[in-house]
Amino acid sequence: MNGPDRFEAYDGDDEEPVRPPRIPTPRASVEDTGLPLPALEDPGESAQPPLARPVFEHPVLKALLGAWALAACSAEEATAVEEHLGECGACADEARRLREAVGLLQRPDSLDLDPGLRTRVLESCLERRPPRIPVPDWAAAYDTETARLDALLQDFGDAEWHAPVRLRWFRGDEATSRRTTVAGVIAHLLSVDGLVAVALGLDDPLGDVMSRRPTPAARTEAYWSASHFPPTRAVRAPWREQSHNLVRTVSFTGSGVGGLPVPYGDFELPLHDAMLDRAFECWVHAEDIADAVDYPYDPPSPRHLHRMIDLAARMLPNALADRRRGGLAAPSHHRHLVAAGEPGRSLRLEIEGSGGGEWLIPLDSPAAKGSAEHEVAHVALDGVEFCRLAAGHVPPQEAAAGQVGDIEAIRDVLFAAASLSRM
């Protein structure tokens, strides 16, 4: 009997036999046979042809140059433009000019951190863990500005330390200046900060060197003259140590020491104002240094800038009185003396931008009270512009100030602001 016939069955005499379904046997893999693999067949005409690249004519490519310079082209357009630039000299020159123009539209980024970042980080840390010995608010600006200047100095080489710097200030009705170096500026800050150090009972950075007068300029000249050689990078260490000691000392002594008088020779300031004054000078001279080495430097944070502007505004009445005693202020036919604390003729000083605000400056007596009812003039300046005016870096005649009202009062206040400057 044959094998397949064994599985046949019949339903009837005349019907076809019913067979079970056929299950195919497993197929062996080609890799398991040991035979060489068959060659790949040529896809020939059955394969999908590659997409053709778009072809751009010269006028289209020329029109795309502006978008290419701004990096606003698609990938295909950018590839086509760049290939075209290697073949067309006119378009290559135009593309180079457009790229340079785009570069001029973008402000160069400063490598410095945001000046407000340090304050925000510290505030975040102090919210989580309050300091055992906090830095007084009136010393925070000095702490921040000295830290910013120290960060600027840390990578300076010998060439930067000996870069020429011109210190500028206003004397009488004329601008004046003094030439020094970056190291000489740090020596100047060290000498003048020493006034605060001495008032707190710390060591005087001048040591045994005697200055002709206890003024910032005289102390600086004495320190420079006592040096056998021009100041070098070695001055950074004592300046940095002194700034740390000042912040540490005022923190340990507490906020109650803020009224301690700090003599400047011709005048004196309470300690809380003296620390703001030193923060202001540190920022101004840090900008002098940054300009000398061609490096960007940002203004202080708005909170600290406001405190500095407020100090200058509070010093303006005395500066006006000093200029009047020296015959430098214009004689006013409308001057009206009032008792101390009484409202008198006033100028409204409006400071715009970060750290701004409004101050009423009494014009006729430093003891008078600023009064909106007795306002005779109004001056508006940008905050940084006002600070540079007070630093003697902007002549009063050139200050970008909006003004209305009594011309003589406005001139006197602008010149008084410039007279706040000193070496």
Side-chain angles (χ1 to χ4, degrees):
M1 182 183 292
N2 293 333
D5 296 335
R6 298 175 60 236
F7 300 99
E8 293 180 357
Y10 295 91
D11 283 341
D13 294 337
D14 300 329
E15 294 183 5
E16 292 292 331
V18 178
R19 297 176 184 273
R22 182 175 180 274
I23 301 174
T25 59
R27 296 181 177 180
S29 172
V30 177
E31 288 85 350
D32 297 334
T33 63
L35 299 176
L37 297 176
L40 295 176
E41 296 182 359
D42 186 2
E45 298 179 356
S46 62
Q48 183 71 22
L51 295 176
R53 288 178 54 187
V55 178
F56 297 94
E57 299 295 334
H58 180 271
V60 177
L61 293 169
K62 185 175 182 180
L64 287 172
L65 291 179
W68 175 83
L70 292 169
C73 288
S74 66
E76 293 83 1
E77 292 171 341
T79 301
V81 169
E82 289 164 4
E83 290 180 355
H84 178 67
L85 295 181
E87 303 170 355
C88 180
C91 287
D93 291 340
E94 180 68 15
R96 177 180 56 79
R97 287 192 293 269
L98 289 171
R99 271 287 168 91
E100 291 175 353
V102 170
L104 294 175
L105 294 174
Q106 298 175 348
R107 180 182 177 185
D109 294 331
S110 168
L111 297 180
D112 290 330
L113 297 176
D114 178 1
L117 178 61
R118 182 176 185 269
T119 301
R120 292 196 298 271
V121 171
L122 288 175
E123 287 178 348
S124 177
C125 294
L126 296 178
E127 286 176 358
R128 299 186 179 187
R129 180 178 296 179
R132 186 169 59 89
I133 302 173
V135 176
D137 287 344
W138 42 264
Y142 177 81
D143 184 29
T144 300
E145 291 308 312
T146 52
R148 287 211 301 149
L149 175 54
D150 188 52
L152 174 66
L153 299 174
Q154 65 180 352
D155 294 327
F156 277 15
D158 290 338
E160 286 84 6
W161 279 102
H162 295 291
V165 180
R166 186 163 292 278
L167 301 179
R168 294 169 290 165
W169 69 98
F170 209 77
R171 179 183 297 164
D173 285 343
E174 296 181 355
T176 186
S177 64
R178 177 74 155 77
R179 190 177 184 276
T180 184
T181 63
V182 169
V185 174
I186 302 303
H188 166 59
L189 290 174
L190 173 69
S191 303
V192 185
D193 286 357
L195 291 169
V196 182
V198 172
L200 288 170
L202 302 176
D203 293 336
D204 190 341
L206 268 64
D208 297 331
V209 177
M210 299 296 296
S211 63
R212 183 170 47 85
R213 297 180 62 207
T215 61
R219 285 175 60 86
T220 301
E221 295 288 355
Y223 188 95
W224 286 344
S225 300
S227 301
H228 298 291
F229 301 98
T232 64
R233 66 166 68 236
V235 76
R236 179 191 174 203
W239 168 77
R240 183 181 182 183
E241 181 180 2
Q242 177 177 259
S243 65
H244 288 175
N245 287 339
L246 289 176
V247 174
R248 188 181 302 112
T249 301
V250 298
S251 300
F252 273 96
T253 53
S255 57
V257 76
L260 180 72
V262 178
Y264 277 70
D266 297 331
F267 62 96
E268 69 178 26
L269 291 173
L271 179 61
H272 56 80
D273 284 346
M275 293 296 285
L276 273 176
D277 171 75
R278 300 317 308 143
F280 177 79
E281 291 289 325
C282 183
W283 162 47
V284 168
H285 291 316
E287 277 199 339
D288 292 335
I289 292 172
D291 289 343
V293 298
D294 195 21
Y295 195 86
Y297 202 83
D298 291 327
S301 64
R303 183 178 65 175
H304 294 162
L305 187 63
H306 178 81
R307 288 178 175 268
M308 296 175 190
I309 294 171
D310 177 70
L311 173 62
R314 288 188 283 112
M315 295 175 69
L316 278 176
N318 283 322
L320 275 169
D322 290 341
R323 285 181 56 82
R324 191 172 291 115
R325 284 191 292 268
L328 299 175
S332 176
H333 303 291
H334 306 287
R335 186 179 177 192
H336 180 63
L337 297 177
V338 297
E342 294 295 321
R345 286 194 324 131
S346 305
L347 176 141
R348 183 180 298 274
L349 176 63
E350 180 182 354
I351 303 300
E352 302 170 339
S354 298
E358 289 190 359
W359 289 262
L360 287 168
I361 310 300
L363 297 171
D364 299 328
S365 172
K369 179 182 178 181
S371 170
E373 296 179 357
H374 297 79
E375 180 181 325
V376 298
H378 186 172
V379 173
L381 294 95
D382 173 73
V384 174
E385 179 83 356
F386 174 74
C387 288
R388 288 175 178 157
L389 171 66
H393 286 199
V394 176
Q397 306 92 325
E398 299 177 10
Q403 47 190 270
V404 62
D406 190 328
I407 299 299
E408 290 183 353
I410 293 171
R411 180 186 182 278
D412 284 346
V413 169
L414 292 178
F415 273 81
S419 71
L420 295 175
S421 63
R422 57 183 180 275
M423 187 176 79

